[in-house]
Amino acid sequence: SGPLTPEQVRALGKRLGAMIDAADSAGIRQFLLQEPIDNQWLAFVDMEEWMTQQESDAQEKAFNRLIPPKQFAKLLRERKELRGLVTKLMKRELKKNLKKVTGRRK
């Protein structure tokens, strides 16, 4: 079933956002354990495009409440590929933050 279309990627991100808004921790766990890693990456990156910074921060806080660190660590042990996704997302976030810091100096 080849790569997702932009519409499918957007729908996936919207679905994840809706699960976070609905406090559906079981749905989020299922998404993290079953959705192909490449699709998750595309959805997370796309969510940055259509969400405001405030929405993104609120979703991140809600996600962390729904899937606390101990539970997330358990998911990482259950599905090893998630580690690579988390690393990619952290690197992306770090690069964005570095751009903000270095951009302000000029």
Side-chain angles (χ1 to χ4, degrees), residues 50-90:
W50 56 266
M51 277 190 171
T52 66
Q53 190 59 52
Q54 279 181 312
E55 289 171 323
S56 180
D57 291 347
Q59 288 258 307
E60 192 174 333
K61 274 185 188 165
F63 179 91
N64 291 334
R65 275 195 310 275
L66 292 165
I67 311 288
K70 277 187 179 177
Q71 272 189 13
F72 195 72
K74 186 173 179 248
L75 292 174
L76 290 174
R77 287 191 299 274
E78 278 182 56
R79 186 172 187 191
K80 302 267 190 270
E81 309 99 305
L82 278 174
R83 292 178 187 180
L85 175 66
V86 170
T87 302
K88 266 173 83 169
L89 289 168
M90 288 173 70

Side-chain angles (χ1 to χ4, degrees), residues 5-61:
T5 65
E7 294 78 19
Q8 290 171 314
V9 170
R10 179 67 44 100
L12 190 61
K14 295 277 187 184
R15 195 181 80 191
L16 177 61
M19 286 189 283
I20 294 170
D21 290 340
D24 180 3
S25 56
I28 296 165
R29 273 197 300 278
Q30 185 178 6
F31 175 88
L32 292 169
L33 289 174
Q34 295 179 356
E35 187 63 40
I37 295 295
D38 289 345
N39 294 355
Q40 290 186 42
W41 167 254
L42 293 171
F44 285 126
V45 170
D46 185 60
M47 288 170 90
E48 293 174 9
E49 297 297 316
W50 56 266
M51 277 190 171
T52 66
Q53 190 59 52
Q54 279 181 312
E55 289 171 323
S56 180
D57 291 347
Q59 288 258 307
E60 192 174 333
K61 274 185 188 165

